[in-house]
Amino acid sequence: MTHLLFASVLLTILAQASGTQPQTEGCQIHLALTGDTTSMGVSWRTETAMTGKAVVEYTQIGAPKNSTGGAQATDTRTYTIYGKTSGYYHHARMTALHPGAAYQYRVMCNENFTAWRNFTAPKASGGTSTKFVFVGDFGLGGAGPPAGEGYLTTSAFAAEAFGSAAEAAVDMIWVSGDIAYANMHGAADFEKTWNEWFDAMESACAHVPCMVSPGNHETYLPKVFGSGETAANTTGWVAAPSEFFEQDEVKEAQADGAWNFTAYDSRFKMPDAGSRNMWYSFDFGGVHFVSINTETDFPNAGEAFLGGWGDQMTWLRNDLQQFRQKSKDGWLVVLGHKPIYSAAPGYASNGVPIREFAHIQAAFEPLFHEFGVDLYLAGHQHSYERSAAIFNNKPAANGTVHIIAAIPGGGCGITADFKEPFPEWSVVRYPGNGSPWNDRKNGTEEAGDLGYGIVEANSTMLSFTLKLSKSGQVVDTVVIPRR
């Protein structure tokens, strides 16, 4: 039964592999790790509140029919935008899972149970190896890049979620900020854009956990409000101080206010660190994963006026310290939206981070070095770039490898225009110097350069591979040795 169920879902995925929009039940089902390897989180959307009816049923595949378990959503979130309720986002937890076992589940969505979907429970204590997809700056297109461009990558993600005869399936998918680019699609399409992204990702994220970190495009709205709407009656809107407009990202988005991460906070449910998805950590597959917030709640944060989620820096120091006390040489991977190191224009001068990236460096790099972070994964800069192991602006044998992988699809297209000379720490850049795709005019050529990362870890090595969404071509691979 297990193989038949997986084969049925995989056939559906392969039918979508052309990069077209998938068909869903509109419930936006997605899984998430919880930090407890005997459980799995599940989230979904309904049009109505579903009070007392938002439940999930689940059973181990091959187990007796009367062994079905159930759980009610313990956390339902909603928000109002342009005077309309966005829908209701339910978060439940499937518990008492058997390590490594295959399960099927369904949720109550808009008064009916959905079709059954399947997932594999985490290995005992998270296991000793892992393989996952990483990408930053997603979107599906239509705000610069051609509409639907990002479907090439969602289809590739779905295939990675189930694996093949040649490659094992991934354990999770991680999108490190700037997830749907809803703010760039105008007032009328803000919610529509979020919904389309979730519908597109459901074919993957309903079967493997989908983890996220906050980015700058989760923070604000376009300035055009709907008819009769103003900032005052749009829940969650926060007035932006004038100095915020000095940042290019806000000028480009034509924003005059901030949404304070409301959609991001409502739609996802990450392991709880008391910060509502803004930062968190967990152990999985022999790796300690740490998601940080590069937007707020650190000294001189670029979006400091949206802060107040907690004391991120004290939490981070304590978290890293506790991990190193129990594992002196265990793999330590940090994920965030904005990078510290990039050779792209506007990020560094003579190899030294500038502007907001200098503030991120000042806050986080000393902790990375003190506690031996092996790999920092980021997005924001729309290209692929890999550094040498680095600390304090210079290659260092005991430093952290920094990787930017932000070319999955239709956020803003591939925009980096690398120019020589390059800092000594910048090892690989893709598409490369003077890329003709950075002007977003040739959608066909740009589509061929879209890609994502595959991260693998076991007891002896940690690796990152850049893979193109359309062709499957491997562009770059690096293996990070034990310290």
Side-chain angles (χ1 to χ4, degrees):
M1 179 179 177
T2 303
H3 295 296
L4 288 175
L5 182 61
F6 274 73
S8 174
V9 178
L10 185 55
L11 285 173
T12 301
I13 289 167
L14 293 176
Q16 299 166 1
S18 61
T20 57
Q21 185 171 352
Q23 300 298 312
T24 73
E25 296 166 279
C27 301
Q28 303 177 13
I29 302 168
H30 53 286
L31 301 174
L33 296 172
T34 65
D36 172 8
T37 57
T38 66
S39 68
M40 182 70 75
V42 58
S43 303
W44 69 101
R45 178 186 183 277
T46 61
E47 291 291 340
T48 59
M50 297 284 293
T51 304
K53 298 179 182 179
V55 298
V56 55
E57 289 186 351
Y58 57 100
T59 183
Q60 185 176 342
I61 294 174
K65 291 183 178 180
N66 60 3
S67 64
T68 300
Q72 186 165 328
T74 56
D75 186 357
T76 293
R77 305 175 186 178
T78 188
Y79 56 94
T80 301
I81 181 170
Y82 307 120
K84 297 179 180 179
T85 300
S86 65
Y88 295 82
Y89 304 94
H90 310 285
H91 308 285
R93 182 176 288 198
M94 296 176 280
T95 60
L97 304 179
H98 296 286
Y103 282 81
Q104 59 182 354
Y105 72 101
R106 61 182 184 174
V107 299
M108 180 65 76
C109 179
N110 300 322
E111 307 302 327
N112 294 296
F113 273 111
T114 63
W116 290 95
R117 288 158 171 82
N118 58 280
F119 71 94
T120 300
K123 301 168 189 174
S125 300
T128 57
S129 63
T130 188
K131 176 183 179 182
F132 70 97
V133 169
F134 172 83
V135 77
D137 301 68
F138 212 140
L140 297 175
E149 184 177 78
Y151 287 120
L152 287 165
T153 301
T154 62
S155 295
F157 278 14
E160 294 285 1
F162 288 87
S164 65
E167 297 185 15
V170 298
D171 296 315
M172 63 178 166
I173 292 167
W174 202 305
V175 182
S176 193
D178 288 7
I179 298 164
Y181 283 84
N183 70 292
M184 296 189 72
H185 289 260
D189 291 331
F190 183 86
E191 283 295 292
K192 178 175 177 285
T193 304
W194 268 114
N195 293 338
E196 286 178 347
W197 187 87
F198 274 100
D199 286 343
M201 288 294 287
E202 187 175 319
S203 57
C205 291
H207 303 281
V208 298
C210 187
M211 312 304 288
V212 291
S213 305
N216 52 289
H217 280 276
E218 279 73 65
T219 64
Y220 51 80
L221 285 170
K223 67 178 181 180
V224 181
F225 292 93
S227 177
E229 294 299 311
T230 65
N233 60 17
T234 303
T235 301
W237 193 92
V238 180
S242 59
E243 60 266 24
F244 190 58
F245 299 123
E246 297 301 315
Q247 298 187 26
D248 291 342
E249 62 201 30
V250 179
K251 291 181 180 179
E252 291 172 1
Q254 297 182 324
D256 66 354
W259 184 237
N260 203 16
F261 304 95
T262 305
Y264 168 83
D265 177 56
S266 297
R267 289 170 174 265
F268 295 100
K269 176 73 170 179
M270 297 294 104
D272 187 16
S275 65
R276 298 276 293 211
N277 301 334
M278 300 304 283
W279 54 84
Y280 58 91
S281 69
F282 59 91
D283 295 323
F284 188 86
V287 178
H288 186 62
F289 291 96
V290 183
S291 176
I292 62 172
N293 171 13
T294 61
E295 312 311 306
T296 71
D297 296 290
F298 65 90
N300 299 306
E303 287 82 21
F305 71 100
L306 291 175
W309 298 91
D311 186 349
Q312 176 178 208
M313 301 314 298
T314 297
W315 171 85
L316 180 60
R317 168 172 285 281
N318 291 340
D319 182 87
L320 298 178
Q321 186 174 53
Q322 289 170 13
F323 173 69
R324 280 297 177 224
Q325 286 174 348
K326 68 179 182 180
S327 179
K328 294 188 182 300
D329 63 350
W331 294 120
L332 182 50
V333 176
V334 176
L335 309 95
H337 177 61
K338 289 175 181 169
I340 294 175
Y341 293 103
S342 175
Y347 286 77
S349 176
N350 297 319
V352 178
I354 59 175
R355 301 169 55 236
E356 61 184 313
F357 312 104
H359 298 315
I360 296 170
Q361 179 186 37
F364 294 103
E365 189 178 40
L367 293 176
F368 288 8
H369 188 67
E370 180 179 352
F371 296 106
V373 171
D374 298 289
L375 177 63
Y376 177 53
L377 296 172
H380 192 66
Q381 194 269 89
H382 290 196
S383 72
Y384 172 75
E385 186 172 7
R386 171 167 63 85
S387 80
I390 186 173
F391 173 63
N392 196 27
N393 313 315
K394 296 183 180 298
N398 61 347
T400 299
V401 173
H402 293 245
I403 291 178
I404 300 167
I407 52 172
C412 295
I414 300 171
T415 57
D417 188 7
F418 294 106
K419 301 291 185 183
E420 296 183 7
F422 303 124
E424 60 178 333
W425 46 257
S426 182
V427 178
V428 177
R429 299 155 300 278
Y430 183 83
N433 184 31
S435 165
W437 302 284
N438 63 2
D439 59 4
R440 299 186 246 164
K441 292 178 180 177
N442 192 327
T444 301
E445 290 192 67
E446 177 169 285
D449 282 314
L450 302 180
Y452 55 95
I454 298 287
V455 185
E456 296 186 71
N458 58 36
S459 59
T460 61
M461 71 92 193
L462 173 67
S463 70
F464 185 98
T465 297
L466 179 67
K467 193 172 182 180
L468 299 186
S469 302
K470 190 174 183 179
S471 66
Q473 176 187 346
V474 171
V475 173
D476 182 43
T477 297
V478 61
V479 177
I480 302 172
R482 285 280 191 188
R483 289 173 177 266

